[in-house]
Structures are given as structure tokens and as C-alpha cells.
């Protein structure tokens, strides 16, 4: 195998977030209309490696992704050892807007998966003027609790293995072994209690059912793409969101699960490219 | 279920994942029960019921058509994973949840090993 570099450039950004200094890991590639990508709960920006390596996307877009604080190569804030990490919709939106501002992104397309797909709905509701379009992957307005998440963070359970165990079935059976286990590896590497802290937003605080009807897609177009094998945010959960507000564009992605961009990048890109093309055509 | 030992014990990666696990658990396929005994990650025995005053650490209970779909090479959405079955209330997991959750990847791999060769596990 001949050694080769990918087009992705990774850098650390120092900035103040939520009133504290933070050191954030950021990756980007390509040039053009900015596309800001948000990873799932308990994982990191490596999930977007397929998008960041796709020549067709990079020809038209400056693709940017970052590890949320506490995730991947982004550090938790000073004093983290004395606090319990709990993601809230307010903090999540503040972080996304601050990163977008710090990088000088002009009305980027925001694309998020799972918790990122949920916050996509919050952004569409509260900050439509900040984004030229929003893409929610595996977007639902809420999720019913179907397992006891406290097992993800306790001293007598291996957190990494438990996190991977909980999410492994969210990957569709058609996904190749290499990308399936790469996706699970990210979960195994998460810090203690971080996936659980993200689920506070996903399962409780970030429930947006009461407000989803107020989303105005005339102010910011909203595209929702959901893999058919996802049972955390199922196709029905996404269709339910689209019933509540007019103009939401829904695509159900065959063969894919909860981590489309990471578990099986090639078929995901075949769904994503036409959506990006439509966004570019509409805003040209 | 009677082939479980053959498939699991030949899977070195799965046995290694469960190498510190010693447990006995019940699998119910409708009314038919099977007691599975695990020693150091290997399936030591699979004993069909009926049982009298049998103890076990945890039990996995589902209808025969649910397991039938779960064990297809490519199961339909919602039938492809133990937690998916739980989510749609097709599988009841009872007993000592700590042992089940500590070894979730192993137990998932063990039950999926009954799928035809080459299927996703």
C-alpha cells in the first residue's frame, strides 16, 4: 500500500465557550459553500471522514467538522473532574454558533446526525437566519427510553464496551465490517460519562415535540435523511417531524442505520450529493 | 440453539471477548426454553427444557417468529439486534441486568452467531 495523505487538515482552535476557555479540535477540507458537520452522541468528528474525503463534495464545499468539548481530541474545560457533564440544547447551540463565528463561516449549511440531527431542529427553530439550509440525519423530535442509560457510566461496567454494545445494533446489516467497527471504536474511545451526558440532551432536555410545528422552512430549508435500520430515530420518528411543519424534505435511506456517514459512507454520499446540489441551486 | 456451542466456540474473537464471563442464562423461543452455560467465554452446554426450579442469571424471551427473523442472514429493520427487539417490545430481558449489560457485545455476538455464515454480527 502506497502511503498517501488525505485532503483533511486538522487543527486546534482556542476559544471561549460557555464562559470558559476551551481547546477544540477542528477538521476541514475543500472550498466553497461552507458545510458544518456535527457528530453523534458519545463519538467525534471522525464520523465524517467519508464526506471530508469525497472529491465531488469538496469541489463545491468547505467542509468543516469539530469534536464537541469532552469528545474526541477536544478537551473538557478546566475543572471538568469536579463536574458532571450534561449537554443542554442552549449550550449545544451556543457552541455551534461560536465555532461558526470563530471560523468566519458565512451562513453555512449545518448538517448533524442523531443528537446533531436533533439540534438541527433547534437551530432551524431558533436561528434560521444563521444557516442557508439545515440537514438533519436521523432527526427525531424526541426518543422513547428503551434501555437504562445509567449502565453507560458506572465503575463496575466497562464504559467503552457498554457504549459500543448499546449502539452496535443501530448500524445496518449491510454496512461493511471495517466501517462498522471503526464507528464502534469511536464509541469505545469516548470519555467516562460523556455519551451519557449527551443522552441527557437526546433523551430528556432536548425534547422539541412541543415546538417543532413552529419551524418555518421558508426562512431556512430543512432536509431530513434517515436510515431505515435506525431504531433510535426511526423513519417513523422523522416522518412525524415532517408532519408537524410544512416544507420539510424527507428521504428514507435504504440499507442504512443510525450512523449513515460513518457506517457506510458510499451509499450515504449518493443520498447527500443531490441534496447539496439542490441547496446550491436554490441559493446560487 | 442446539448448534450454539459449535458456532461460538469456533469464533476465537468472540470467545476472547467473553473470556472472563461465567454465567448461565435462559433463552426462550416461545414455550421452548434453553439453558446456556458459559465458562470462560465458551459455551459449555445448551440444555433444552422443561426445567424444574432452574436458576439462571438472566433470560432472553421472545416469540418463535421473532427469533426466526432475528436469525435471518439479513434481518428486516427492527429485528436485526437484541436492543432493537427490546425497543419494539419483541424481546423481554429479565434477571441480572448488570451481567447482561457488562457483556452486551458478547451476548449480542453469541446470539447473532446462529445466523448463516457470512452474515453481519
Amino acid at each position: 500500500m502506497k502511503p498517501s495523505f488525505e485532503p483533511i487538515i486538522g487543527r486546534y482552535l482556542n476559544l471561549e465557550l460557555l464562559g470558559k476557555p476551551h481547546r477544540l479540535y477542528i477538521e476541514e477540507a475543500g472550498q466553497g459553500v461552507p458545510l458544518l458537520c456535527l457528530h453523534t452522541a458519545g463519538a467525534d468528528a471522525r464520523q465524517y471522514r467519508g464526506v471530508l474525503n469525497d472529491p465531488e463534495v469538496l469541489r463545491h464545499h468547505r467542509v468543516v467538522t469539530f469534536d464537541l468539548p469532552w469528545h474526541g481530541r477536544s478537551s473538557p474545560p478546566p475543572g471538568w473532574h469536579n463536574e458532571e457533564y450534561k449537554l443542554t440544547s442552549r449550550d449545544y447551540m451556543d457552541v455551534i454558533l461560536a465555532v461558526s463565528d470563530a471560523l468566519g463561516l458565512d451562513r453555512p449549511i449545518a448538517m448533524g446526525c442523531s443528537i446533531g440531527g436533533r439540534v438541527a431542529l433547534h437551530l432551524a427553530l431558533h436561528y434560521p437566519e444563521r444557516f442557508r439550509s439545515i440537514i438533519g440525519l436521523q432527526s427525531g423530535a424526541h426518543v422513547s427510553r428503551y434501555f437504562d442509560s445509567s449502565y453507560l457510566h458506572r465503575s463496575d461496567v466497562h464504559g467503552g464496551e457498554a457504549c459500543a454494545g448499546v449502539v452496535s445494533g443501530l448500524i445496518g446489516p449491510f454496512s461493511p465490517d471495517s466501517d462498522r467497527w471503526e464507528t464502534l471504536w469511536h464509541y469505545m474511545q469516548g470519555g467516562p460519562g460523556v455519551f451519557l451526558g449527551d443522552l441527557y440532551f437526546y433523551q430528556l432536555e432536548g425534547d422539541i415535540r412541543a415546538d417543532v410545528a413552529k419551524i418555518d422552512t421558508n426562512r431556512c430549508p430543512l432536509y431530513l435523511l434517515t436510515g431505515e435500520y435506525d431504531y433510535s430515530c426511526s423513519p417513523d420518528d422523522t416522518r412525524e417531524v415532517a408532519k408537524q411543519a410544512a416544507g420539510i424534505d424527507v428521504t428514507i435511506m435504504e440499507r442504512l442505520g443510525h450512523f449513515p456517514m460513518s457506517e457506510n459512507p458510499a451509499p450515504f454520499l449518493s443520498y447527500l450529493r443531490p441534496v447539496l446540489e439542490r441547496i446550491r441551486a436554490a441559493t446560487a | 440453539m442446539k448448534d450454539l456451542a459449535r458456532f461460538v466456540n469456533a469464533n476465537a474473537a468472540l470467545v476472547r471477548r467473553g473470556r472472563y464471563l461465567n454465567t448461565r442464562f435462559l433463552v426462550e423461543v416461545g414455550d421452548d426454553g434453553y439453558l446456556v452455560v458459559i465458562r470462560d467465554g465458551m459455551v459449555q452446554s445448551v440444555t433444552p427444557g422443561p426445567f424444574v426450579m432452574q436458576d439462571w442469571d438472566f433470560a432472553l424471551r421472545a416469540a418463535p417468529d421473532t427469533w426466526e427473523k432475528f436469525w435471518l442472514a439479513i434481518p428486516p429493520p427492527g429485528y436485526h439486534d437484541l436492543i432493537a427487539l427490546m425497543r419494539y417490545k419483541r424481546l423481554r430481558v429479565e434477571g441480572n441486568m448488570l451481567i447482561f449489560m457488562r457483556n452486551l457485545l458478547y451476548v449480542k455476538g453469541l446470539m447473532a452467531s446462529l445466523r448463516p455464515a457470512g452474515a453481519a454480527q
Side-chain angles (χ1 to χ4, degrees), chain B residues 1 11 17 20 25 28 31 38 48-49 52 60 62 68-69 87 92 95 100-101 104 112 118 120:
Chain B
M1 286 297 299
N11 184 340
R17 187 175 294 288
Y20 294 111
F25 66 95
E28 278 186 0
D31 293 333
I38 305 294
V52 178
L60 310 177
E68 203 172 296
K69 287 180 185 146
R87 151 78 145 123
R92 280 185 299 136
F100 176 71
M101 290 301 287
L104 186 53

Side-chain angles (χ1 to χ4, degrees), chain A residues 162 165-166, chain B residues 82-83 99-109:
Chain A
V166 162
Chain B
L82 295 184
I83 303 265
I99 296 178
F100 176 71
M101 290 301 287
R102 270 178 180 163
N103 297 282
L104 186 53
L105 273 177
Y106 174 84
V107 177
K108 282 186 173 189

Side-chain angles (χ1 to χ4, degrees), chain A residues 164-180:
Chain A
V166 162
V167 302
S168 68
L170 294 171
I171 298 172
F174 293 92
S175 295
D177 255 2
S178 57
D179 288 310
R180 168 190 308 278

Side-chain angles (χ1 to χ4, degrees), chain B:
Chain B
M1 286 297 299
K2 60 186 190 321
D3 295 322
L4 191 68
R6 186 157 59 86
F7 289 121
V8 170
N9 297 348
N11 184 340
L14 186 58
V15 169
R16 183 171 178 280
R17 187 175 294 288
R19 67 195 181 280
Y20 294 111
L21 178 59
N22 292 285
T23 187
R24 60 178 62 214
F25 66 95
L26 185 70
V27 177
E28 278 186 0
V29 182
D31 293 333
D32 297 330
Y34 301 86
L35 183 73
V36 180
V37 177
I38 305 294
R39 286 287 165 259
D40 301 328
M42 310 258 286
V43 176
Q44 188 179 69
S45 60
V46 177
T47 309
F51 305 108
V52 178
M53 297 181 80
Q54 181 60 57
D55 67 332
W56 34 261
D57 290 326
F58 61 90
L60 310 177
R61 298 182 157 120
D65 70 305
T66 293
W67 288 121
E68 203 172 296
K69 287 180 185 146
F70 176 84
W71 282 319
L72 291 171
I74 301 289
Y79 288 90
H80 60 293
D81 177 78
L82 295 184
I83 303 265
L85 296 180
M86 290 168 72
R87 151 78 145 123
Y88 295 112
K89 304 191 189 323
R90 295 172 182 133
L91 170 70
R92 280 185 299 136
V93 184
E94 292 166 352
N96 189 330
M97 286 300 110
L98 183 56
I99 296 178
F100 176 71
M101 290 301 287
R102 270 178 180 163
N103 297 282
L104 186 53
L105 273 177
Y106 174 84
V107 177
K108 282 186 173 189
L110 178 140
M111 294 305 287
S113 71
L114 292 175
R115 287 181 185 144
Q121 293 184 7

